[in-house]
Amino acid sequence: KGLKLIGCSVKKIGLTTFGAIDVMQIISKKMRRLIQYSVILWVGLFIGCRNERLSQAIYIPQTPNYEDTMMWYIEQNAHNTGADVFYIPSTWEYDWYNEEGILSHYADPYNIVHRNNMKIEMSKIAAYMAENNNFYSPYYRHITLDTWATLNEDTINRRYHAVSFVDIQNAFQYYLNHHNNQRPFVLAGFSQGGKSVVELMKTLSEDVRQRMVAAYVLGYKVTPADTLVAPWIIGAKDSADIGVTICYNSVSDVKYIKPVISSPNVMSINPVNWRVDETPAYLHDSITVTLSTEHNVLILDGFDGSYLPNILNILNQGDYHSIEPWLYSEQLRENIQLRIYEFNQNNNSIVNN
């Protein structure tokens, strides 16, 4: 029927049968080209949509299994008078892409490079915190430096709570169930690890809190909202009180306070003289450390931090964020030992009475 119709239309316009065949061939060629162009268009659209999906997708690394010893840095040095230290490391990775080209905002504990980066910090911290103590530090999917560089606390908290804090909670629960054995413990963390200490303290039951010697929030803040949720987060007042939080941030001038890590902050203590007033303390005979009680930060005079790396133009720019755990390491070493001693003495008195 199709041929007849074509033939009739051809006759009407006075073409021969050969003309009709030519027309059919032309139409056939045009149809083939149309189909080819359509296929190319659809393939292009598919690839474009796939690339757009890839550009919008975020790679979330595999959840750590804390039954696997590879997911821990552990030292066991405790004697009868020691305690446990549960330490949470800071931020090491920038945003990166996996093998499929998908962006990730998280460190991957199963990536040996990422794990080795965290281990650098863990081992250096253990050098002074693990003295006479057991030391447990989990590898976890921390949010990246690029996430912090957004300076958007909604973005930071959304990414952190969706992945990073899930790991911290899982790791701490595993530690309590399999390592702690009802022993006294110290919580400690630097930078993102300090944030994790604050968030973890909000979740502690009263029974667990009774075994906490102290919490060390190094290079991070405790906000009014934090203490509203968890009124048991109480700032240290001297060198020997127990069950308290030691918190500090160091700057060269208050104009260099970075809100994303150090403001608003409701507590701070000078780790050199262990005072909460503005009495200056002297570190290494050349650095003056003074607590600003108005801003709850430490102001350093006589310290040259120009060698510190500029981190995405937000850190180590008038502040001394990168060296918070190292600058006061000797003071922290002695203080952890003192607070553990006081904790044990206090508990022995309760038992004896």
Side-chain angles (χ1 to χ4, degrees), residues 6 8 11 30 59 71 85 115 121 131 164 173 194 230 261 284 292 302 321:
I6 292 174
C8 290
K11 286 179 181 178
K30 288 184 176 180
Y59 174 67
M71 292 295 102
V85 175
R115 204 164 59 248
E121 178 181 338
E131 185 176 298
S164 309
Q173 192 59 52
I261 58 170
H284 307 310
S292 167
H321 185 72

Side-chain angles (χ1 to χ4, degrees), residues 27 29 106 109-110 137 246 252 301 344:
I27 292 172
K29 287 180 181 178
Y106 301 96
Y110 288 97
S137 188
I246 294 87
S252 58
D301 184 44
N344 288 331

Side-chain angles (χ1 to χ4, degrees), residues 190-203:
F190 165 47
S191 191
Q192 183 171 170
K195 175 180 178 63
S196 295
V197 168
V198 175
E199 296 300 330
L200 198 54
M201 281 197 292
K202 296 177 187 178
T203 70

Side-chain angles (χ1 to χ4, degrees), residues 51-242:
N51 288 341
E52 184 178 357
R53 285 196 301 272
L54 286 176
S55 67
Q56 293 175 348
I58 298 299
Y59 174 67
I60 298 178
Q62 178 184 345
T63 303
N65 176 6
Y66 290 110
E67 294 181 357
D68 185 350
T69 56
M70 187 173 68
M71 292 295 102
W72 291 93
Y73 179 93
I74 296 175
E75 291 190 18
Q76 294 183 318
N77 306 315
H79 304 296
N80 292 334
T81 57
D84 292 348
V85 175
F86 186 88
Y87 179 79
I88 308 167
S90 62
T91 311
W92 281 84
E93 304 308 322
Y94 293 89
D95 280 357
W96 59 285
Y97 292 87
N98 70 357
E99 293 178 352
E100 286 74 37
I102 303 175
L103 178 68
S104 183
H105 299 308
Y106 301 96
D108 183 356
Y110 288 97
N111 181 317
I112 190 170
V113 175
H114 294 189
R115 204 164 59 248
N116 284 342
N117 285 339
M118 286 184 267
K119 187 178 179 180
I120 293 170
E121 178 181 338
M122 293 167 168
S123 61
K124 288 184 176 181
I125 292 292
Y128 67 88
M129 287 194 183
E131 185 176 298
N132 299 323
N133 299 316
N134 294 333
F135 185 90
Y136 301 91
S137 188
Y139 296 100
Y140 72 113
R141 296 173 294 175
H142 62 253
I143 55 175
T144 58
L145 289 163
D146 294 272
T147 295
W148 287 101
T150 66
L151 302 180
N152 185 318
E153 296 206 43
D154 289 338
T155 298
I156 291 167
N157 285 321
R158 184 181 71 252
R159 292 177 184 173
Y160 170 82
H161 282 283
V163 176
S164 309
F165 189 53
V166 172
D167 290 356
I168 295 304
Q169 287 181 297
N170 290 341
F172 187 69
Q173 192 59 52
Y174 186 87
Y175 156 75
L176 288 178
N177 293 342
H178 296 90
H179 294 300
N180 178 250
N181 297 317
Q182 301 294 306
R183 290 167 52 80
F185 66 89
V186 171
L187 282 181
F190 165 47
S191 191
Q192 183 171 170
K195 175 180 178 63
S196 295
V197 168
V198 175
E199 296 300 330
L200 198 54
M201 281 197 292
K202 296 177 187 178
T203 70
L204 299 185
S205 67
E206 183 176 355
D207 174 63
V208 173
R209 294 200 305 271
Q210 287 178 352
R211 302 202 304 278
M212 190 186 81
V213 175
Y216 289 77
V217 178
L218 313 180
Y220 199 69
K221 60 189 175 182
V222 178
T223 69
D226 293 329
T227 56
L228 187 63
V229 172
W232 51 84
I233 302 178
I234 300 169
K237 300 300 181 185
D238 58 40
S239 63
D241 44 355
I242 57 177

